[in-house]
Amino acid sequence: MKTALKLLVLLLVPALAGLLWLAWPDLREAPVEQSRAAPAGAAQIERGAYLARAGNCVACHTQAGQAPYAGGRPIGTPFGEVFSTNLTPDPETGLGSWTPGEFWRAMHHGRSRDGRLLYPAFPYTSYTRVSRQDSDAIFAYLQSLAPVQAPRREPALRFPYNTQFALRAWRALYFRPGEYRQDTQRTPEWNRGAYLVEGLGHCNACHTARNALGGIELDRNYGGGPIPSLGWEAPPLAPAGLMSDAQAAEMVELLQAGTSRHGVATGPMAEVVLHSLQHLQTTDLAAMVSYIRSLPPAAGAPAPRRPRVSEARRQELMRQGETVYREHCADCHGDRGQGRDYVYPALAGNRMLTGASAGNAIRSVLMGGYGPSTATHPQPHGMPSFAQRLTPEEIAAVLTYARGSWGNQATAVSPVEVERR
Ligand code: HEC
Ligand code: HEC
Ligand code: HEC
């Protein structure tokens, strides 16, 4: 009898603890109030439009060629695809019959109107920091859009990731709902920046490496890492060491214009500037940078495993690369990698070029690209694609050279890495 009781306790206690753990993120969820929105004023709608820009809602919630905010865009994850939803006020397929309380619950707790847990491809791990007042303003703005009928598309995720149980476990591990709390030791500017970066900006959705379960590990926060679904790597958000005032001013410039004296926003970052950051007030961007420059250095993703290049081979690639560089790159990027101010990015001291992995740089040379077209820089210059003009060996050589010259001290690039891209 006694042993049976013991056994029961032994089984029950972990089971109860497990259930408590799974329910943990939901314990702080207040019951959702059902009151309808008071009619929104023009000022609230305008503020909501601005905040929706800061959250870049339109980028994910718009399918190419379709009405803005009508959803249906596939968002890739390592576990399959999730589709964004219709945020227009269509009563059947959009948010038309939602209350502000239900909208807040989605933003703050990651829970849909019908109680379903939402997939964190919707970055509510960040949006949970948004204040109720700002959530209401975004809702008022979305309700002011023209309704579009666009039914929900079922996620296409592999088992077991498509279950509510898996979501529960994921949330218990990686989701802590909670509004942003002011740090009274810091300036109002810093707090505003922290609120935007940690909340609507969801910068760590890309600038922090994710683990095998797609969780953001906060001890690596802003340390940079690969974005598997996009095939790009995000650099660490704050450069290692102190950021000078000049560097901070240049970062504001980059976020606003997409092009700065020495740099260009490319790939996924170009889209963030295009749809979101260029529309923000300079004071808000400066606040974001004042927060970013205060971030402690964080360990990035574990260094990717890359083919080893012997020292003799590296020397050979350096020599070959110098020739390729003079012939194909120096006209734009300068004979010492200095670039041309506001036109061609500098390669000397370029963090995107000199990261632990050479993935972004290989991608740039193979595919070419453009910075975003912004109000400040409507016609950014382009980088030609070299996929047809240079062999993998030549690309590896020129990148080995650029990563190892003019003060850059990054490792060599092997032709095998270029071929794998
Ligand atoms: C990185 C892409 C991404 C961004 C940015 C994004 N969303 Fe979403 N959102 C999604 C996806 C994907 C879903 C569907 C999740 C699911 O099906 O579980 C979703 C779902 C939602 C839902 C739940 C709808 C429902 O029917 O349950 C709301 C509300 C929402 N998003 C609002 C917003 C707002 C407001 C913003 C901007 C502040 C925003 N989203 C930005 C990807 C995004
Ligand atoms: C969709 C993914 C994504 C999001 C979201 C994102 N970034 Fe980026 N970011 C990148 C990638 C990829 C790069 C590297 C390409 C480049 O340098 O343009 C980058 C580069 C940058 C750079 C340039 C770094 C350097 O040294 O050249 C800055 C600054 C930056 N991001 C700031 C931000 C801020 C601030 C936010 C939040 C408002 C943000 N990013 C959100 C993907 C993202
Ligand atoms: C016609 C001018 C031009 C030539 C030639 C050129 N580039 Fe570029 N390059 C650019 C521009 C403009 C950008 C910024 C646009 C972008 O990254 O999408 C850029 C971006 C880059 C980047 C990404 C840097 C960053 O911060 O985003 C790398 C790496 C690069 N170039 C390397 C090279 C190499 C190596 C060569 C020679 C094989 C080369 N480029 C030839 C104009 C050029």
Side-chain angles (χ1 to χ4, degrees), residues 321-333:
E322 185 171 3
T323 315
V324 178
Y325 185 83
R326 281 223 197 89
E327 194 177 325
H328 293 280
C329 324
D331 273 355
C332 295
H333 290 290

Side-chain angles (χ1 to χ4, degrees), residues 167-222:
L167 257 176
R168 254 184 203 289
W170 191 94
R171 287 160 60 101
L173 282 168
Y174 304 116
F175 178 45
R176 295 290 169 268
E179 267 181 70
Y180 177 73
R181 294 240 170 85
Q182 298 282 322
D183 179 345
T184 50
Q185 305 292 308
R186 303 280 194 162
T187 61
E189 185 192 36
W190 185 95
N191 275 292
R192 174 70 179 165
Y195 175 71
L196 287 169
V197 168
E198 298 286 345
L200 284 172
H202 67 282
C203 311
N204 76 356
C206 291
H207 283 277
T208 303
R210 289 172 191 261
N211 60 25
L213 290 176
I216 293 176
E217 290 188 18
L218 293 182
D219 54 345
R220 294 189 192 282
N221 215 5
Y222 301 114

Side-chain angles (χ1 to χ4, degrees), residues 37-58:
Q44 192 193 23
I45 292 176
E46 200 181 312
R47 222 166 59 78
Y50 181 80
L51 294 164
R53 291 275 204 197
N56 207 3
C57 318
V58 75

Side-chain angles (χ1 to χ4, degrees), residues 1-10:
M1 185 60 212
K2 254 203 178 147
T3 35
L5 198 68
K6 250 192 206 156
L7 204 66
L8 197 67
V9 170
L10 271 179

